[in-house]
Amino acid sequence: MITVSLFGRGGQGIKTASHIVGDAAFTSGNHVQDQPLYGAERRGAPISAYVRISQTPILERGKITNSSLVVIADDSLLDSIVDNPLQTVTDSTVIMINSSKGVSEIRTRYNINNVLAVLDLTKLTQDITHKSIPGVAVASTTCKLLGFEFDVIEKSLRAELKEIGIHQEDISRNVELARSCFNQTTHAKIETITKIKIKESPIIDPIYHHPQISTCTITATGNSRLRERGAWSNFKPVIDYEGCTKCMICYVYCPDSAFTIDVKGFPVVDYDACKGCNICKTECPTKVISLVRRENK
Amino acid sequence: METRFRTLKDIPLEEELVPGTMICAGCGGALLVRIFEKVLGSNVITVNAAGCMTMLSVFPFTPFKSSWFYVAMASAPAAAQGVRDALDILIKKNKIDSKDNLKVLVLTGDGAASGIGLQSTSAAIQRGLDFYYLVYDNEAFSNTGFQASESSPFASATKTTSPTETHEGVMSQKKDLFEIWRAHKPPYVATISPAFIKDMMQKIERSSQFKGPKLFIANSPCPPGWGIESDQVIRVANLAVETGIWPLKEAINGEVRHTWMQKRRPVEEYLKTQERFEHLFKPTRNDEIINQLQKRVDDYWSSVKK
Ligand code: SF4
Ligand code: SF4
Ligand code: SF4
């Protein structure tokens, strides 16, 4: 069995990517399971999806704990302690990362010794589709690594995108994107995983605790500031202060309290708080806010 | 009453909600809560019915500088009554100083407000509970992926009402919460919009002079659910008002007054901005439904006293 784990953020098309991979694998004559996993559905929040591909019926269920192939659609996830996608990697896992950085930089920074492909799929996606949803690029690259034919990928892609209501012209652009990803990737040797042995665990009787201690109580105030949300977007708003009239419109409309007003009355963005919704850019009456691609720290 | 909010710049600079929440980028509801809490100030306890905004606080983190209480979907107004009574009793017994008194704010989505929580809201209004009630109306159950609620507008597509050849999405009309509440004769009811922040701040301020229920229903564009880019949230909210779909109004002791009464744009300008109405334009234009939607808005405004 081949196990593929895909990691990304809500809104990047990861769920659709896993469906395309699953569909292409199925059309190529395999037994397939594909499932996204998310908590409350949020744009920008980490999500993962799992695809199992096998010549024989699949009896496993749930999350994949050891992956043949790990696909990471957003390199900012690598810096996250809680949602780190490298958790399911073993020595033989092949890893593909969407990043604007080079292979050697990624290798040393995250201490990766596996077979590794690093591609700037976000840039390619922007160039071809004029949007920054890399899902299709991720799906096509993954399919190529797995050794599927382009015809099969195209068919699955068209079907999946149509099902979620994407327009014909956008589908065509995405097919073009898929083709160029397909052509720039080589087929990788992906190892099948062997059966995992499941440890027997004892049954534990829950003990009664008074609600005062068994329910969650937060005694701190305003501590969510410790959670940086800058990685939720690939772009950040940058203000050209020369044309800024201090009208405060950007400050007022920011849903995430990411602005402060400095002593001279100018708005200042806190980039660790900004989720990159771009409301401030759209609302600024003098159009002095522009978007700049983020480099993660 | 003299207002503190003559221009947008009079907005209080103190943030009552700090950054770092799990709420979607560009959430209209989150902006409303941020502004509402700014106007109310720091002496507030927010009683939050289950919904998107309960994702503001995820253990062990909270953006609130004041107190926050998470309760089941149907019961926020009942919980607010308990909180109010406890505060009143403690003050009466001199257990807490009256200057430490808190304002009670119920925060709830439209799914709870117009459906499962309507009964407890009705009862709280009838009892004359002294509280603020803010509904962020994103017109569906967004927290679980945008299933239809009783507040979803006619002809909109949701996860549970995909348009097909035989029907055009939601086939029922949006519940008119404003009128349902007004029928209870509370001292203050208003509609607000994230695109009209000054209007919103003035309304919250005006309502604060009344003891009893102060009820607000807010148009809350939801980027993933409505199918809009997150940066378009204020543009879309603005069109909701300017096309007349979202009338800005208040009712003081039952007497209705509109706070926006200008020349209206055609409703299709609003509909066209959102994927949930896309089936009305593509692949072919559905004039019958678009005209029905326009007529409903026209009929509403022709009944409005100039
Ligand atoms: S992009 Fe959005 S979150 Fe960031 S500063 Fe602008 S309005 Fe705030
Ligand atoms: S909206 Fe634009 S002009 Fe106004 S304060 Fe912000 S950056 Fe300056
Ligand atoms: S789903 Fe919609 S209402 Fe809920 S947090 Fe996201 S944008 Fe806001």
Side-chain angles (χ1 to χ4, degrees):
Chain A
M1 181 168 57
I2 294 199
T3 50
V4 185
S5 305
L6 301 107
F7 299 90
R9 293 186 179 275
Q12 290 179 334
I14 300 309
K15 183 168 98 179
T16 306
S18 84
H19 289 338
I20 296 171
V21 174
D23 197 88
F26 183 73
T27 319
S28 309
N30 296 289
H31 290 266
V32 176
Q33 235 179 42
D34 83 75
Q35 68 218 5
L37 181 89
Y38 33 48
E41 307 195 8
R42 288 291 175 279
R43 266 190 191 180
I47 83 153
S48 51
Y50 302 92
V51 187
R52 290 189 172 92
I53 304 169
S54 171
Q55 293 287 317
T56 52
I58 302 167
L59 302 175
E60 282 79 357
R61 291 292 182 270
K63 263 172 97 158
I64 289 171
T65 48
N66 50 347
S67 318
S68 316
L69 173 62
V70 162
V71 176
I72 301 162
D74 188 311
D75 62 359
S76 68
L77 291 171
L78 290 164
D79 291 318
S80 155
I81 299 159
V82 203
D83 318 298
N84 200 309
L86 297 179
Q87 281 160 3
T88 69
V89 166
T90 63
D91 289 346
S92 61
T93 306
V94 173
I95 304 174
M96 198 278 280
I97 301 174
N98 170 25
S99 171
S100 57
K101 296 195 185 67
V103 181
S104 52
E105 187 183 344
I106 298 251
R107 263 200 199 291
T108 38
R109 210 162 130 164
Y110 303 106
N111 195 18
I112 298 173
N113 300 311
N114 299 52
V115 177
L116 172 69
V118 179
L119 299 159
D120 194 350
L121 298 177
T122 302
K123 176 150 195 319
L124 204 62
T125 303
Q126 280 172 332
D127 290 350
I128 299 177
T129 65
H130 312 300
K131 296 205 168 118
S132 38
I133 307 167
V136 164
V138 167
S140 174
T141 311
T142 308
C143 287
K144 176 72 179 265
L145 290 170
L146 291 167
F148 302 142
E149 300 295 333
F150 188 73
D151 292 351
V152 173
I153 303 172
E154 178 173 348
K155 230 179 110 220
S156 307
L157 175 101
R158 285 187 185 276
E160 289 298 332
L161 294 188
K162 186 155 176 251
E163 180 156 337
I164 56 169
I166 307 284
H167 293 306
Q168 206 45 54
E169 62 261 44
D170 285 329
I171 295 185
S172 306
R173 277 198 209 110
N174 274 298
V175 170
E176 200 192 316
L177 170 65
R179 185 172 289 116
S180 87
C181 293
F182 187 85
N183 291 337
Q184 70 162 14
T185 319
T186 51
H187 175 190
K189 189 175 170 326
I190 312 245
E191 307 242 347
T192 59
I193 57 130
T194 41
K195 277 238 152 46
I196 338 155
K197 263 196 112 168
I198 296 168
K199 257 197 281 165
E200 262 192 44
S201 30
I203 292 171
I204 299 168
D205 285 326
I207 309 160
Y208 175 80
H209 288 294
H210 191 273
Q212 242 171 5
I213 55 166
S214 62
T215 47
C216 302
T217 309
I218 308 173
T219 48
T221 58
N223 63 348
S224 63
R225 186 60 197 81
L226 297 167
R227 302 290 277 160
E228 292 179 2
R229 298 295 176 200
W232 277 30
S233 166
N234 291 324
F235 296 89
K236 60 179 182 184
V238 174
I239 304 171
D240 170 9
Y241 287 105
E242 254 180 47
C244 171
T245 59
K246 309 185 201 174
C247 70
M248 283 173 66
I249 285 186
C250 52
Y251 169 87
V252 169
Y253 288 122
C254 175
D256 279 286
S257 316
F259 280 97
T260 44
I261 302 293
D262 75 6
V263 282
K264 290 196 188 121
F266 284 112
V268 181
V269 186
D270 173 348
Y271 291 118
D272 290 334
C274 166
K275 289 178 186 160
C277 71
N278 299 334
I279 289 179
C280 53
K281 173 185 183 278
T282 301
E283 298 307 318
C284 170
T286 53
K287 301 285 162 229
V288 295
I289 304 183
S290 51
L291 296 185
V292 174
R293 190 163 172 183
R294 272 181 192 261
E295 291 297 326
N296 55 332
K297 285 177 260 165
Chain B
M1 161 182 200
E2 187 72 31
T3 178
R4 284 152 69 196
F5 308 111
R6 274 161 306 140
T7 74
L8 210 51
K9 286 196 176 186
D10 295 325
I11 187 168
L13 288 183
E14 185 67 28
E15 298 292 350
E16 300 300 333
L17 258 75
V18 307
T21 69
M22 282 293 289
I23 297 291
C24 300
C27 173
L31 174 58
L32 288 153
V33 179
R34 169 176 169 249
I35 307 286
F36 213 96
E37 301 266 356
K38 265 178 183 282
V39 177
L40 290 187
S42 50
N43 283 347
V44 174
I45 171 160
T46 305
V47 180
N48 204 159
C52 271
M53 292 306 137
T54 44
M55 297 295 290
L56 285 168
S57 297
V58 178
F59 185 81
F61 297 103
T62 178
F64 287 93
K65 287 189 188 162
S66 51
S67 300
W68 182 80
F69 182 21
Y70 177 15
V71 293
M73 209 160 189
S75 46
Q81 180 83 52
V83 171
R84 184 67 269 155
D85 290 349
L87 284 164
D88 289 346
I89 291 166
L90 289 171
I91 290 168
K92 208 167 160 196
K93 289 187 172 169
N94 284 325
K95 295 252 168 92
I96 56 173
D97 202 322
S98 61
K99 75 174 189 321
D100 293 328
N101 194 2
L102 301 176
K103 297 168 191 156
V104 181
L105 165 66
V106 167
L107 177 58
T108 165
D110 53 284
S114 56
I116 189 172
L118 184 56
Q119 174 276 128
S120 63
T121 312
S122 169
I125 303 173
Q126 197 193 21
R127 289 190 304 265
L129 174 62
D130 186 21
F131 75 139
Y132 295 84
Y133 188 83
L134 171 61
V135 181
Y136 54 98
D137 185 4
N138 50 30
E139 308 190 318
F141 287 95
S142 295
N143 196 34
T144 44
F146 214 69
Q147 295 82 7
S149 80
E150 281 146 277
S151 191
S152 300
F154 175 67
S156 64
T158 70
K159 276 277 168 66
T160 43
T161 60
S162 317
T164 64
E165 269 151 40
T166 48
H167 66 88
E168 302 294 337
V170 173
M171 295 310 281
S172 49
Q173 298 290 345
K174 183 181 171 79
K175 252 190 205 175
D176 190 348
L177 265 188
F178 184 91
E179 286 301 321
I180 294 172
W181 292 342
R182 192 168 75 95
H184 292 70
K185 308 237 169 9
Y188 194 85
V189 190
T191 60
I192 51 179
S193 158
F196 290 76
I197 301 276
K198 195 176 77 178
D199 175 80
M200 170 179 170
M201 295 193 297
Q202 289 174 350
K203 281 174 176 163
I204 303 165
E205 181 186 43
R206 209 150 38 240
S207 75
S208 67
Q209 62 186 309
F210 301 106
K211 197 168 153 61
K214 300 168 267 281
L215 315 162
F216 295 82
I217 176 157
N219 178 244
S220 304
C222 162
W226 292 19
I228 56 177
E229 291 297 329
S230 57
D231 72 310
Q232 292 300 307
V233 159
I234 306 299
R235 297 293 91 223
V236 171
N238 195 58
L239 276 172
V241 173
E242 293 193 343
T243 55
I245 282 190
W246 191 267
L248 287 177
K249 55 187 170 180
E250 64 183 4
I252 297 181
N253 295 319
E255 181 103 15
V256 183
R257 181 177 81 94
H258 282 73
T259 57
W260 184 95
M261 293 235 270
Q262 293 173 28
K263 193 168 155 23
R264 283 179 287 124
R265 294 159 172 255
V267 294
E268 68 169 276
E269 287 187 24
Y270 169 74
L271 303 174
K272 270 185 175 162
T273 56
Q274 302 159 52
E275 274 168 23
R276 62 178 175 151
F277 293 114
E278 199 166 40
H279 56 283
L280 300 180
F281 301 95
K282 282 179 185 172
T284 49
R285 197 184 149 89
N286 189 335
D287 276 316
E288 194 192 322
I289 300 285
I290 298 169
N291 292 342
Q292 270 183 41
L293 286 160
Q294 182 68 58
K295 180 161 184 307
R296 225 183 138 81
V297 173
D298 292 344
D299 287 349
Y300 172 84
W301 284 95
S302 64
S303 72
V304 169
K305 274 192 287 180
K306 288 277 165 351

